[in-house]
Amino acid sequence: MASGAEARDRLAQTAMYDRVESALNLVNERKSGLTVPNKWAFEARVGGSVSGAQLAITWSRRNEPEATLYLNNDVEPELAAKTLLDRTYGLIAASFADRIIGRDGARDVSASMLRRVANRLNELYTGRFDEIIHGQSLPLVSIDHLERAGPNPFLYHARTGEVLGDFTGLVRQALDRLIQRNRLRIEDVDVGLLASLFRELFSNTHLHARTDLEGALYRRSARGIVFALRPVDIPHDSFAAGLPVLKEYIESMEREAARPRVEFLEVSVFDSGPGLAARTLRSVVPADLPIEREYELVQKCFLKTYTSVSNPAHGWGLPRVMHALKSSGGFMRLRTGRLSLCKWFPPGMKDPRVTADDLQFMDIGGGSPKRHARVEGAVFTILIPVGLGN
């Protein structure tokens, strides 16, 4: 196998979770360049775009200060840059690269691509939702090292720079745009629950995205939410993208749904921080630490009494996420450190109180937690079923 700058990791347009995990294994083994698709079917799968963003962040950290992104030639030349940057994973890959090489494999196009990145960020920070929505998803990102006029105003107060205290207006505005394209009615959606999920998930990821374990600012840092509407015809194996537990969850809806199509609202967040276990441990997770111990460190983050920061106002975000998940009959996937965990609940539970048993997570492949390739930051993906009774 080639080493150093000669090694390149290239994801095909058909790549799903398994190929992303394979790429992460390679990224952890040696230095390499990276090529991602301009068009990627994985983006339309649950958590696909944020998983691609996490891959790009992990690759960048393993290769800096020589992280080289090679542009793909899978679309027409005049559409390539826009196609890539319209997608969250593509925007993050370009923003976190030290150098960007053109489709010919030789020409340095870093300067022109960064100008396009700046234009795309301006669109995302100032545009209307009907312009920002890509397909059935709304990307809301904040990329610290490229922000010249302050953080994303859809997520932060322009004056104070604090995370918005209430996301209800944003969620309702986003739903108005997304639901226009489907038969779903806004009356079928618990807007308050979604706004709470936005607030808790993004506040949690905001705390951990920008600084390392010593409190120093990262050279590059980002975080974001992808809010999406995912209509699924049940059963639909391809929607699960090869994840057995997700397939099982989708199939469980067949008993509850009044019609063969179920709409899921997806709330996915990502960040570029050290990861949940490292924050809890307050140090880098040693390579020889048993995976069971890393799992315990992550599980601790979901306890009501635990917080990794000194501010007493914090420490309730992830417990509240679990309560919302159980109340709605939702699905969660968490990818952090060497763990890929999931949890789901059937809809219509009479008692949504979160118990100790509810904090027992499965490996994404089923069974007890297993060791996966190490990643930077954390990715949460939440699915909420809506309109089951229609």
Side-chain angles (χ1 to χ4, degrees), residues 34 59 67-72 84-85 90-115 117:
L34 178 68
W59 160 79
T68 301
L69 179 70
Y70 292 86
L71 298 185
N72 212 328
L84 180 66
L85 298 181
L91 181 63
I92 296 300
S95 300
F96 273 66
D98 293 293
R99 190 170 63 131
I100 304 175
I101 300 299
R103 294 155 54 97
D104 62 0
R107 186 166 54 96
D108 191 323
V109 296
S110 304
S112 62
M113 282 297 292
L114 284 177
R115 286 194 293 270
V117 166

Side-chain angles (χ1 to χ4, degrees), residues 234-295:
I234 300 176
H236 198 315
D237 288 357
S238 67
F239 184 73
L243 298 181
V245 177
L246 180 55
K247 181 175 182 289
E248 181 184 355
Y249 170 70
I250 294 169
E251 288 176 344
S252 76
M253 294 296 148
E254 194 168 11
R255 299 186 292 271
E256 304 289 340
R259 55 192 175 90
R261 168 166 286 196
V262 174
E263 281 86 5
F264 293 94
L265 287 168
E266 175 189 333
V267 181
S268 286
V269 301
F270 71 93
D271 70 65
S272 58
L276 271 65
R279 283 290 188 201
T280 306
L281 195 61
R282 291 182 167 84
S283 70
V284 175
V285 175
D288 59 353
L289 186 77
I291 201 66
E292 295 81 8
R293 175 57 180 151
E294 184 171 348
Y295 169 69

